[in-house]
Amino acid sequence: MIESIKEQIKKILEDFYKKQYNATISIVVEEPKNIELGDISVPMFSVVKTLRKPMPQIISEAIPVIQTASDAIQSISNVGAFINLTIDKKLLAQEVLKNVILLDSSYGNSTLGVGKNVTLDYSAPNIAKSFSIGHLRSTMIGNSLNLILKKCGFNTFSINYLGDWGTQFGKMIVAYQKWGDFDKIKKNPIKELTELYVRFHEEAEQDPSLEDEAREAFRKMELQDAEYLELWRWIREESLKESVQIYDLLDITFDSYNGEAFYNDKMEPVVLELESKNLLKEDQGAKIVDLGEDIPPALIKRRDGGSLYITRDLAAIFYRKKEYKFDDILYVVGNEQKLHFTQLKRLIEKMGYDFSDHIEHVNFGLYLTNGKKMSTRKGGVVKLYDVLMKAIQMAYQLIEEKNPTLQNKEEIAKSVGIAAIVFADLKNHRSLDIEFNLEQSVKFEGQTGPYLQYTGVRIASILKNKTFDIDHTNIDIFEQSHYFELVKQISLFQSTIEKSAIERAPSILAKYLLSLAQSFNKFYSIEKINVEDECIRNSNFALAKATRIVLNEGLRLLGIKYVNEM
Ligand code: ARG
């Protein structure tokens, strides 16, 4: 509600200057850092500058206009270039709490994206290889963005663009033909295939001709050689099992699993279009498109005719435009592919399509251990599934210590362990590298997922078997700062979600949930909730309940499950 008052002030002032002076001025409405100054503050510099009128005149004109923005405005004052206002905390609290309790999990729903289609491309593991940490990041960030965008009314479509095509499959096939064992792979596909892949790289260092063989094998796949395709299909199926294991654990599904292979027969028309638009150029037998001085050309076709990553992405984007009619297309992919997506955008632009501005590389950083890149590459230094299982095991141990008689420990430990991993990631802005520390992430205190779940559990136990009447509350108590701080946090839920959606940054929501939990815990450390006085008790319960609703819904949007006990 503070947000809606802020919006109203902005609108009413902008309209006023338009009407009065025929001036278009963008008004900024803020919340002062210093609470003493008020709840909302409007700096008037820009108005003075645009209208070239003295500050006192501008201020005295603006105050009565602002006053009409809301009944909840209690007082208006002026310090320097700022107009500061206080809000009637009682009115605000009453309205916010009623609203949350009435709307329950749909509180915070927004209409920001109504009528807009967004396609999200995330996870996209290269399935001949081990599921990497980068793909885990992509999965968690993408999943959360998808949920956040849906909450804002966008019509989303989630795609797992599986890396199921390309020379790495050629490598796999060659490795399998040379050293593979069908039965062993059947029994332990991920382990065996990873070993084969690692062996391929080791041997290729000694004998580079293996790389040629792999390219040739991939060529055969592209030419639809039945034997090779059969092998590919089998390897694909077996290697997908690891990813599926991880999705099951995280409880994540996609609207489409059309991977790179799906586009094998859809590239030719695109190449022809490039040709007919005179964009394609021969370069030492290969086909390229020049993209300008600032970036290297895009390699569209290899000398041997083989297709490339970018050729497939090009085919995929046209298919998606047609199929899903996206307004925006988001690619949740690591920083290291910045050039690739710059090239993709430039290609679309060069081809004369106007949607290139709506192609977004939602980039993210690396996981570091002691400042160095963590990798699953050679021989699976860190096996991701094992890391997730380890987190669950650690959560189990903590629960065992803190609450040994708890029922369903396994189920709860699973939610808590996953919360630890997911939150440790999403609380950081995605573009940053993250120092990964499992022990810290699983703790029930500090800035962790389990801390948020634990706060929810505390509230659940306060509310257990209690009833309260939201129409019989004592609203005077909301003037106290530990009460009001919490109400204010709750009132900011929707605008926080919208910000996260607009900036494609689940970290905004994650940080918000931390402050919400902190405000609640502070409140709870001061206030006994289940008090004698009925009206105060009702107010307290309503506030606790509203906090829990927002916390649970916020966690859901990050891809984390709430628990009732832990
Ligand atoms: N499979 C790719 C990789 O791991 C990521 C794919 C991202 N999506 C895309 N449309 N290019 O590098």
Side-chain angles (χ1 to χ4, degrees):
M1 204 183 134
I2 282 210
E3 283 305 305
S4 64
I5 298 175
K6 279 164 66 183
E7 261 166 48
Q8 187 59 19
I9 293 173
K10 177 176 164 67
K11 185 177 173 304
I12 220 166
L13 269 183
E14 287 176 357
D15 288 353
F16 171 76
Y17 292 120
K18 186 89 220 161
K19 250 206 226 126
Q20 196 80 358
Y21 297 103
N22 195 23
T24 307
I25 305 175
S26 171
I27 301 288
V28 181
V29 182
E30 320 174 322
E31 283 170 52
K33 297 233 160 31
N34 181 356
I35 291 198
E36 313 280 284
L37 289 175
D39 302 304
I40 295 179
S41 150
V42 195
M44 304 305 289
F45 304 105
S46 60
V47 182
V48 170
K49 210 170 141 211
T50 315
L51 299 181
R52 297 164 188 271
K53 296 220 177 317
M55 185 68 82
Q57 184 191 338
I58 295 294
I59 302 254
S60 59
E61 254 177 24
I63 285 178
V65 178
I66 293 176
Q67 185 77 61
T68 63
S70 163
D71 289 343
I73 295 174
Q74 198 170 36
S75 69
I76 304 194
S77 60
N78 158 237
V79 180
F82 293 88
I83 297 175
N84 299 324
L85 24 141
T86 58
I87 299 296
D88 185 328
K89 300 182 170 59
K90 294 185 268 188
L91 270 183
L92 180 75
Q94 197 177 30
E95 209 174 305
V96 169
L97 295 186
K98 273 197 173 163
N99 222 346
V100 182
I101 288 166
L102 176 77
L103 294 173
D104 207 325
S105 62
S106 50
Y107 176 69
N109 284 11
S110 144
T111 53
L112 181 73
V114 170
K116 289 238 168 76
N117 299 330
V118 180
T119 296
L120 295 102
D121 176 317
Y122 58 93
S123 195
N126 299 323
I127 57 169
K129 302 178 187 171
S130 214
F131 198 103
S132 80
I133 289 160
H135 297 113
L136 180 68
R137 290 212 73 187
S138 172
T139 308
M140 297 188 294
I141 297 167
N143 178 56
S144 175
L145 276 180
N146 185 30
L147 295 167
I148 289 171
L149 289 168
K150 273 187 202 291
K151 176 98 180 160
C152 291
F154 289 94
N155 181 23
T156 71
F157 203 88
S158 62
I159 302 175
N160 191 346
Y161 184 62
L162 295 171
D164 56 2
W165 203 248
T167 32
Q168 73 268 31
F169 280 88
K171 291 176 187 172
M172 273 305 209
I173 288 180
V174 170
Y176 175 71
Q177 286 169 335
K178 290 195 188 299
W179 317 296
D181 178 329
F182 182 88
D183 293 328
K184 271 188 173 169
I185 296 179
K186 218 43 233 166
K187 242 202 241 125
N188 207 339
I190 298 148
K191 181 170 165 284
E192 289 300 323
L193 289 171
T194 313
E195 276 175 21
L196 276 180
Y197 196 69
V198 172
R199 177 152 177 200
F200 180 91
H201 281 281
E202 282 167 3
E203 305 235 358
E205 267 171 38
Q206 310 303 320
D207 176 8
S209 75
L210 278 173
E211 298 279 357
D212 296 331
E213 276 186 59
R215 260 193 295 277
E216 188 46 33
F218 177 54
R219 276 288 294 149
K220 289 203 170 131
M221 281 164 54
E222 292 214 294
L223 295 170
Q224 316 275 342
D225 178 293
E227 187 198 330
Y228 277 74
L229 274 189
E230 189 51 41
L231 260 176
W232 164 76
R233 212 166 279 129
W234 177 64
I235 293 174
R236 178 187 194 272
E237 200 177 298
E238 294 300 331
S239 25
L240 243 179
K241 287 180 181 160
E242 185 188 23
S243 309
V244 169
Q245 228 181 2
I246 289 176
Y247 299 137
D248 283 351
L249 199 57
L250 298 175
D251 209 357
I252 285 180
T253 55
F254 297 84
D255 296 321
S256 159
Y257 294 81
N258 283 340
E260 294 185 42
F262 179 76
Y263 296 97
N264 188 32
D265 62 356
K266 299 176 181 60
M267 285 179 280
E268 209 41 40
V270 184
V271 176
L272 288 175
E273 183 176 337
L274 286 170
E275 200 140 47
S276 74
K277 291 185 169 163
N278 281 327
L279 294 167
L280 220 49
K281 214 172 90 176
E282 283 268 334
D283 186 66
Q284 302 171 23
K287 302 258 202 262
I288 65 167
V289 176
D290 274 329
L291 297 174
E293 296 287 293
D294 53 334
I295 49 172
L299 184 55
I300 299 291
K301 251 191 179 185
R302 247 194 269 275
R303 218 164 126 171
D304 61 11
S307 75
L308 286 122
Y309 183 47
I310 198 153
T311 329
R312 296 190 281 279
D313 252 325
L314 210 48
I317 202 168
F318 287 117
Y319 178 86
R320 291 166 182 178
K321 184 75 190 158
K322 205 163 137 219
E323 201 63 18
Y324 315 127
K325 305 191 171 46
F326 62 75
D327 294 291
D328 290 313
I329 183 163
L330 273 47
Y331 293 90
V332 185
V333 185
N335 285 331
E336 65 280 3
Q337 290 193 30
K338 183 164 188 271
L339 176 62
H340 172 76
F341 289 103
T342 312
Q343 288 179 317
L344 186 64
K345 268 176 96 127
R346 193 71 67 80
L347 272 168
I348 298 294
E349 197 182 300
K350 286 225 148 205
M351 290 173 85
Y353 294 99
D354 57 5
F355 66 91
S356 67
D357 285 344
H358 296 271
I359 303 171
E360 276 179 60
H361 176 202
V362 178
N363 62 323
F364 58 80
L366 300 170
Y367 269 12
L368 306 175
T369 30
N370 305 319
K372 286 220 186 72
K373 180 179 174 179
M374 214 167 143
S375 143
T376 33
R377 243 251 173 101
K378 286 201 175 156
V381 182
V382 190
K383 221 45 190 34
L384 209 49
Y385 188 74
D386 296 347
V387 175
L388 287 165
M389 291 316 275
K390 179 94 201 291
I392 292 172
Q393 214 177 53
M394 286 165 71
Y396 188 91
Q397 269 161 13
L398 272 177
I399 293 168
E400 187 73 49
E401 270 166 39
K402 292 190 195 244
N403 195 354
T405 58
L406 182 68
Q407 308 262 308
N408 275 333
K409 271 185 222 146
E410 268 97 39
E411 196 52 33
I412 293 171
K414 191 177 146 193
S415 302
V416 174
I418 289 170
I421 301 266
V422 174
F423 195 81
D425 188 306
L426 296 186
K427 73 175 179 186
N428 304 286
H429 191 275
R430 57 180 166 73
S431 63
L432 304 173
D433 293 341
I434 298 176
E435 184 68 36
F436 183 78
N437 182 327
L438 193 55
E439 263 99 78
Q440 287 298 330
S441 314
V442 183
K443 284 195 174 147
F444 287 12
E445 59 281 326
Q447 306 196 339
T448 68
Y451 165 71
L452 295 179
Q453 287 173 316
Y454 190 63
T455 304
V457 166
R458 286 178 98 175
I459 305 177
S461 79
I462 293 166
L463 294 171
K464 198 166 178 188
N465 303 325
K466 304 283 192 315
T467 51
F468 62 91
D469 180 356
I470 179 85
D471 291 319
H472 287 98
T473 53
N474 175 337
I475 58 174
D476 291 337
I477 56 173
F478 290 111
E479 299 223 302
Q480 302 170 62
S481 68
H482 60 293
Y483 273 92
F484 188 64
E485 211 178 291
L486 187 51
V487 170
K488 198 165 149 187
Q489 286 288 346
I490 293 171
S491 80
L492 293 175
F493 189 44
Q494 181 181 324
S495 64
T496 304
I497 295 168
E498 289 175 344
K499 243 182 256 163
S500 305
I502 292 166
E503 294 185 27
R504 323 297 194 204
S507 59
I508 296 175
L509 174 60
K511 292 208 178 92
Y512 163 86
L513 292 178
L514 281 175
S515 354
L516 177 73
Q518 274 152 10
S519 300
F520 177 81
N521 287 320
K522 182 172 162 203
F523 166 74
Y524 189 42
S525 72
I526 300 174
E527 215 59 50
K528 187 165 162 262
I529 292 188
N530 193 3
V531 292
E532 237 6 77
D533 184 296
E534 193 192 335
C535 288
I536 297 185
R537 192 172 65 230
N538 282 338
S539 302
N540 288 348
F541 279 148
L543 186 54
K545 170 118 195 229
T547 308
R548 171 130 170 110
I549 289 172
V550 172
L551 198 55
N552 288 359
E553 177 63 0
L555 286 174
R556 183 187 72 80
L557 295 174
L558 296 179
I560 295 175
K561 291 203 171 74
Y562 70 83
V563 291
N564 289 316
E565 288 177 298
M566 67 193 263

